[in-house]
Amino acid sequence: MHLKAFLKLVEIQTKVASALPLWAGGAFAWHRYGEARAWTFLTFWISLLCIDMATTAINNLMDYRKAVRKEGYNYQEHNAMAAYGLEERTAEGAIAVLLGTGAIFGILLSLQTDLLVLVLGILAFGVGILYSWGPVPISRTPLGEVFSGLFMGFLIFFLSAYVQLESPGWVELDLEAGRVLLALAWVEPVVLLLVSLPLVFGIANIMLANNICDMEDDRANGRTTLPMCLGKPNALALFKGLYVLAYLSPVLLAATGILPWTGFLAPVAYLPVHRMVQGFVRNPDKKETFVLSVKSFLWTGLFHVLVSLSGLVL
């Protein structure tokens, strides 16, 4: 498999969806807790990137295998298997290497941190596989947006912040005398959840936009996604509403002192996102306007990172 085909198979341009929560979590930990551990951050990034690429490759492979409609942009151009004439065994080999590499770096990360990171890593690993593989892949159900938003928007953010801390103290998981002991100081995890909401909503919206564009093909291929349950008008309204909430959140968190005062600039930062959202809503099309949903998230994630980093210098 040559490089161009591999990058298409893993849809490398979409990896920003996992990288931005990683950077945002690290930046927030640096701002709020004053700690940064470069090696654990890099280890986590490598593991995350490999698992994310493997998940996308599995999704493309399963879409190729299960496709009923074998014409049009989504199959002939968008899916790397068809576009580059890849053999299934070649794709399976690439997936195995990516999963193995991700697992190795995940284990290294847990050795540098604690048992909680290992447990959450295994959970995320399992969801990543089940998202695209199995009798009923999550991506083919109305829960795709929920799982992608929470696991990529919140869990990555949480872990990225957590692994920066030498002794977090607010979440502890131990094995003792055959028992699993969990101690939870709930305030900080809830703070991290609230801070991650713009990322949760943005990533969910990438999945939502993708499913809105694919409604006709999904119906032919036997999928039952969230837009198919809501209907296109309601799905588009949800898409717009989630971005409004994503930019309301930093204002509220800045008012409580959790984020720096730069969070009050969210309404200004929302203006270009609003234009991109309107562009997608007017013509939701996989080839022409889907990229606007990715650009909207990119802008949102970068604003999120900059707000946290501003707390270090202001």
Side-chain angles (χ1 to χ4, degrees), residues 65-180:
R65 283 178 175 172
K66 296 184 177 183
V68 174
R69 174 175 292 185
K70 298 188 177 182
E71 69 279 338
Y73 175 77
N74 283 336
Y75 183 84
Q76 295 170 313
E77 297 180 50
H78 182 66
N79 191 295
M81 300 293 297
Y84 288 92
L86 296 178
E87 294 185 2
E88 292 189 18
R89 278 191 296 178
T90 302
E92 289 168 352
I95 291 167
V97 171
L98 289 170
L99 289 177
T101 304
I104 290 171
F105 277 88
I107 293 170
L108 288 175
L109 179 65
S110 66
L111 293 175
Q112 297 166 24
T113 51
D114 57 29
L115 184 60
L116 178 67
V117 173
L118 177 62
V119 171
L120 292 179
I122 292 173
L123 175 63
F125 187 93
V127 170
I129 300 302
L130 294 176
Y131 188 80
S132 303
W133 184 79
V136 185
I138 296 170
S139 64
R140 291 173 172 261
T141 73
L143 298 176
E145 286 80 358
V146 175
F147 274 85
S148 61
L150 288 177
F151 275 83
M152 296 187 70
F154 169 60
L155 187 59
I156 292 174
F157 182 88
F158 174 87
L159 284 173
S160 180
Y162 187 84
V163 301
Q164 302 301 306
L165 310 183
E166 192 69 40
S167 300
W170 29 273
V171 181
E172 295 181 2
L173 183 63
D174 293 302
L175 297 176
E176 182 179 304
R179 295 179 298 171
V180 177

Side-chain angles (χ1 to χ4, degrees), residues 225-244:
T225 60
L226 184 60
M228 293 173 65
C229 295
L230 296 177
K232 183 176 284 190
N234 289 333
L236 290 170
L238 177 61
F239 181 82
K240 292 189 292 185
L242 287 179
Y243 265 120
V244 172

